[in-house]
Amino acid sequence: MEFAELIKTPRADNVVLHRPFHLAVEGTLCLTGHHLIFSSRRQDNAEELWLLHSNIDSIDKRFVGSLGTIVIKCKDLRIIQLDIPGMEECLNIASSIEALSTLDSVTLMYPFFYRPMFEVLEDGWSSFLLEQEFELLSSVTNEWRLSCVNKDFSVCPSYPPVVIVPKSIDDEALRKVALFRHGGRFPVLSYYHKKNGMAMMRSSQPLTGTNGRRCKEDEKLVNATLRSGRRGFVIDTRPLTVAQQARAKGGGFEQEVHYPQWRRIHKYIERFNILQESFIKLVEACNDQSHNMDRWLSKLEASNWLTHIKELLTAACLAAQCIDREGASVLVHGSEGTDSTLQVTSLAQIILDPRCRTIRGFEALIVREWLQAGHPFQQRCAQSAYSNSKQKWEAPVFLLFLECVWQIHRQFPCSFEFNEQFLLMLFEHAYASQFGTFLGNNENER
Amino acid sequence: FHAVFLLQVENVKLLDRYANRKAASGTLYLTATHLIYVDASAEVRKETWILHHHISSVEKLPLTTAGYPLLIHCKNFHVAHFVIGQERDCHDVFTSLLKLSQPVKPEELYAFSYNPKMSKENREMGWKLIDLRLDYQRMGIPNDSWEITDINKDYEVCSTYPPEIVVPRAATKAVVMGSSRFRSRGRIPVLSYLYKENNAALCRCSQPLAGFSARCLEDEQMLQAIREANPGCPFMYVVDTRPKLNAMANRAAGKGYENEDNYENIRFKFIGIENIHVMRSSLQKLLEVCEMKSPSMSDFLTGLENSGWLRHIKAVMDAGVFLAKAVKEERASVLVHCSDGWDRTAQVCSLASLLLDPFYRTFKGFMVLIEKEWIAMGHKFSHRCGHLDGDPKEVSPVFTQFVECVWQLMQQFPCSFEFSERFLLEIHDHVYSCQFGNFLGTCHKEREELRIFEKTHSLWPFLLQRKQELRNPLYRGFTAYKELQPNTLPFSFQFWCGMYNRFDKGMHPKQCVLDQLLSCLSQKVTLEDNASDLEN
C-alpha cells in the first residue's frame, strides 16, 4: 500500500495555522506519508511545523461559508487549528489526515523510515544492556546470576531474553515458576540496594486459583532473597478483595501458609482503564475556558488524577521504606505485572538510588523497568486524552509515573540532573516519535 | 537569655502534625513580648519564638493522657499545639497569653517599647527613607494636568487621606470641597498612578452619596477634570469593585454608585470582589483545610474549593489586570472605588500599578507602593489586623490577599521581581507584629496623633539592611520586563503553601533552589575578591 493513495490533496496554500504559544500565521500546508508540514515564508521569521500523523488523537472539522477549519487534537495534548480556504480542499485534507493517522501496522510507522540529521554518537540499542547492569551488580554481590532461559521468549513472551535471578535458582526451576505466574512473568530482580543488600523483585500474580495451588520453586525463588531470620514484604497493588476474587479466574495471591516469611501489604493502585478516564477528565478540566475557579477545582477533584498520583507515590515510598528502613526484601506485583508493578518499582528506585536521578541513570531505568520489562507501550499509548474512538487498552500509565517523578523533583529540586523538559520529551516520544524506542509492547515484538 | 521572664514552665511538649508519641519535653518561657519554647533534648537546641502580638487565639483543649493541651493560633498562620504537664501551669500560661496578646491601648503596642539602640538622627532618617513626592516626580508630577495639593493639610477635605494628595489642576478648591461632601467619608477622587507614556491615570475614591437620584455638580466636574487631563481618550472608566447587588443595596442607604447618565463620557463597570466579611470567613475555612491532619486528595481539593479563597484571589487579580489593560491598551483613565475606598480599592490599585510599572517590583518601589496605596491612603491596618482588642467584624485579610497576588505574579514571572517570597513574608509578619510604627493606627492623622514618627521606628531600613537574604537571585533587572500580563485561567493560581502552611515542617520542598543560587552567587563574589587580591 502506498501512502500516496491515502493522500487526496497533498498541498494547500493560504492556510492559517493557530498553535499554542505562537501568533497565528499564514502559509502552506503539505501532507506526506508520515507528516503534516506547515511552512510560512515571512521575511523576518520563517515558521515551520512538522507534525507526525501518529501524534494525532482526533480531528474536528467546521465550516463557515467556504472557509473550513480543522482542529487537530494531538496525543501530546497540543491543540492545533488550521483554517483552510475551500470546502473541498478542507474535506480532502481532513480525510487524508484521518486515514494517515489511523494506520494499524507498526512497520508503516515513521521510525522505520527516519534518517537522523544529527551525528549518531552511540548505538542506543546497546547502550543499556542488562549484561552491563549485571556487571555492576556482581562487583558488590555474588548472590545473583544472569539467566538466558527466556532467550527465545518461549518461557515468558513479555520478558526480555536475559533476566537477573538468584544464583541458587536454576533454569529448570525458572520454567516451573513461569508456569505458576500470570503471563509467565516469574519474579526477577528489579533493584539491588547496595547499602544493605536488600532486593526488590517484581512479577505478576501467582496462579493459585480456587484450589490453592502452590509452586515450591516459586517459594524457593522468593525466599532466596531473604537474609536468614529476616522477613520480606509482598506489595500487592490490588485491594485485598480484588486479589481474592482473582482466584476465581485462576489468579490469586501468595498465601501465608506457603510463604510464612513474607508479609503481604495491599497498596491499591488504580487499574489502567480507570486511569484513562481520569486523564480525559483532567485534560477536559484544563481546557475549560469558563474562567471559573470553583468549576476548575471541582473538575480537578472529580477527575481523581491527583488521587492516583498520591496513591502511586505512597506505594513507592512504602516499597522504598521497606527496603531502606526496615531492611527487608520486597516483591511487587499486581495482576499482569505490566502496569502498576512497573510504576512502583521504577519510582521506588528514583527514591532510593541517586544514580537513577542522573540523565543516563534515568534512561537506563526506563529501558530496564519499562521497555525491557514489557510495559505494553503500543497498546497504552495508541490513544491519548483527546481520542474519540472506543478505548480498550489505552492508559497514561507511563505519564502517571513521569508526573510522580516531577512531583518528587518539586520537593527535591537539587537532587535531579535533569529538568521538567526531559520528562516532557519522554512523554511526547512515548506517544509519537521518529525513534523506534517506544514501538511495540515488549522486547519480543521489537 | 538576658530577658526578664514573666513565667517559666517545665515539662511542656510541642506537637506537630505527625505522630507525636515521641515528642520531647521542653521549657516554655513568657517574656513581655514573646513566648519562647526551648527543646534542649536533642543535640541541637531548638527554639520556637512567638510574638504575643501575633497570637490571634488561645484555646484550652480537652485533657489527654499526655497532659493539658493549649492550642495557639497566630495571625501569621503559625499554629502551636503545646501539651503542658500541670494543670495549674497550663492555666497560668493561658490567662497570661490572653492578656498579653490583646493590648487595649495603642501605647501598649511593641513599637513604643522597641529599642534597637539607634541614634535619633538615624531613626528620623529611617522615616524619611520613603518619600512619596519622589514617586510622583517619577511620574512627571507636578505637570500641566496634575498637581500635588496641600488642601488637605488640616484634614478639612478628608480625615483619612494624607495631607498631600494629587488632583487635576483643573479641579478648583470649590470642586474639591463639593466633591468631598458627595463622597463617603470625604474620600474624593485622587490620583493613584499616572501612566506617563499615554497620560492615562489610575484614580481612586469611595462610593458617591448618590442614593437613587442625588447629583453633585462638583463631583461631576471632578470626574470631568480627570477625564480631560487625558486628552488621548474620549472616555474614562469608572469601576466599582463591589458585586452589583451590594452596590445597589447601598443606594437604599443613600450611597451607591455613579449614574452613567449624569457623568459625561464615563463607562461604568462592576468588577465583583466580595466584602471583608466574606473574605474573613473564606480565610477561616482555608485555614481549617490547612490544619487537616491527613486529608485525602479529595478532602483537600473539596475543602479548597469550598473555602472560595482562590476564587477571591482570582477576582482581585482579574480586577488588577482589567485596570492595567484599560490604562495601557485602551489608553483610558480609570476611577476605582468600592464602598469606603480603603480595602478592595487599595488592593486593585496597587496591583495594577505593579503590573504596569517595573519600579514597584524593586525593593524601594514596593515599599513606596505600600506607603502610598495602603498606609497613606488610609487602609485601616489596626482594625483589619486586630492590633488592639476591638471589633472582630472589622478584622479581614485584605492586605494578605494583596501580598498573595504579588506572590502569584512571582510564580508566573520569576525573573521580574527584585525581591523574593521571603521579603513578602517578612512584610506580612510585621504588619501584624506592631514592632514598627508604619502599620499602626488607621490613617495618617491618627499616626500623627500617636506621634509614631517621633516614638517608633520605620520597618523599611530594617528590611533594606537584610537585602542580601531577601533578594531574588533570578531578577533580570529593571528594564527586562515592562508591563506584566499574567495568565488568569484558574489553573494558573497555585496554593501558597509557604504562607498558609509556613510553619508546617514537613510540607515544604526540602531543597531550595533560590537559596542554592544565592549561596553560589556569594561564593562567586568571594572568589572574585580573592582573585583580585592575588593579582595585586
Side-chain angles (χ1 to χ4, degrees), chain A residues 31 33 45 77 114 120 134 145 149 152 184 195 197 203 208-209 223 244 254 292 323 339-340 346 397:
Chain A
L31 294 180
N45 230 349
L77 307 180
Y114 173 65
V120 178
F134 184 69
R145 72 176 183 93
V149 68
D152 48 7
K195 196 170 117 182
S203 69
T208 49
N223 288 338
Q244 285 167 338
E254 293 80 357
N292 183 322
I323 294 173
D339 295 290
S340 57
S346 46
V397 177

Side-chain angles (χ1 to χ4, degrees), chain A residues 376-393:
Chain A
F377 276 101
Q378 186 98 355
Q379 283 182 348
R380 296 286 176 267
C381 299
Q383 292 170 54
S384 183
Y386 285 128
S387 176
N388 286 330
S389 31
K390 195 154 175 289
Q391 317 207 318
K392 211 160 158 231
W393 305 111

Side-chain angles (χ1 to χ4, degrees), chain A residues 336-357:
Chain A
E336 295 96 9
T338 53
D339 295 290
S340 57
T341 305
L342 305 178
Q343 287 175 322
V344 174
T345 56
S346 46
L347 204 57
Q349 289 178 59
I350 295 280
I351 294 172
L352 290 168
D353 187 0
R355 222 171 36 108
C356 293
R357 292 177 232 129

Side-chain angles (χ1 to χ4, degrees), chain B residues 127-255:
Chain B
W127 280 111
K128 297 208 172 76
L129 194 66
I130 303 296
D131 184 348
L132 298 184
R133 270 187 198 219
L134 291 177
D135 196 43
Y136 293 125
Q137 260 174 41
R138 205 179 53 84
M139 296 178 212
I141 297 170
N143 61 18
D144 292 338
S145 311
W146 298 92
E147 60 175 359
I148 308 179
T149 168
D150 65 354
I151 193 177
N152 196 39
K153 71 179 188 306
D154 295 317
Y155 307 104
E156 271 180 33
V157 177
C158 170
S159 62
T160 53
Y161 271 179
E164 286 189 345
I165 47 180
V166 177
V167 296
R169 252 184 224 287
T172 63
K173 177 157 181 186
V175 164
V176 169
M177 297 310 295
S179 175
S180 82
R181 287 187 287 270
F182 193 63
R183 290 281 166 179
S184 174
R185 309 192 195 267
R187 293 174 68 87
I188 57 164
V190 294
L191 181 93
S192 178
Y193 179 72
L194 178 65
Y195 194 60
K196 269 197 318 212
E197 279 81 339
N198 61 19
N199 287 316
L202 187 55
C203 300
R204 56 184 288 182
C205 59
S206 61
Q207 64 182 325
L209 302 174
F212 286 100
S213 58
R215 288 179 73 155
C216 169
L217 188 62
E218 290 88 355
D219 192 76
E220 290 164 31
Q221 286 170 342
M222 179 61 124
L223 266 65
Q224 180 181 3
I226 292 176
R227 179 172 51 77
E228 287 175 351
N230 175 19
C233 187
F235 71 93
M236 72 182 260
Y237 278 108
V238 174
V239 172
D240 188 330
T241 59
R242 298 169 292 182
K244 183 167 180 176
L245 227 56
N246 299 29
M248 284 171 58
N250 265 280
R251 280 198 300 188
K255 302 178 209 173

Side-chain angles (χ1 to χ4, degrees), chain A residues 197-200 225-226 231-234 262 322-323 327-331:
Chain A
M198 290 300 119
M200 178 162 61
T225 65
L226 297 176
R231 61 175 179 182
F233 289 94
V234 173
W262 291 82
C322 288
I323 294 173
S329 284
V330 167
L331 171 66

Side-chain angles (χ1 to χ4, degrees), chain B residues 453-491:
Chain B
F453 307 105
E454 296 162 41
K455 295 179 163 185
T456 71
H457 293 259
S458 167
L459 171 64
W460 308 127
F462 176 76
L463 287 182
L464 279 175
Q465 256 176 27
R466 297 167 49 204
K467 234 180 174 173
Q468 276 320 304
E469 56 171 286
L470 300 174
R471 70 186 185 108
N472 171 19
L474 295 176
Y475 182 50
R476 284 232 205 107
F478 191 82
T479 49
Y481 294 85
K482 263 242 82 212
E483 52 296 322
L484 300 181
Q485 292 181 321
N487 185 341
T488 57
L489 282 171
F491 56 70

Side-chain angles (χ1 to χ4, degrees), chain A residues 7-11 29-33 35-37 53 92-93 96-97 100:
Chain A
I7 304 174
K8 295 203 182 119
T9 304
R11 181 200 162 113
L29 181 71
C30 288
L31 294 180
T32 70
H35 288 93
L36 178 153
I37 306 171
H53 294 309
N92 283 343
I93 289 180
S96 308
I97 295 177
L100 290 164

Side-chain angles (χ1 to χ4, degrees), chain B residues 81-117:
Chain B
H81 187 167
F82 290 109
V83 179
I84 301 178
Q86 309 281 16
E87 181 175 24
R88 178 69 187 281
D89 290 335
C90 181
H91 187 72
D92 285 346
V93 174
F94 175 70
T95 47
S96 306
L97 285 179
L98 276 185
K99 194 159 151 288
L100 289 162
S101 64
Q102 283 297 351
V104 171
K105 291 180 297 183
E107 291 75 31
E108 295 176 54
L109 295 172
Y110 188 15
F112 291 97
S113 55
Y114 171 62
N115 182 6
K117 308 261 192 310

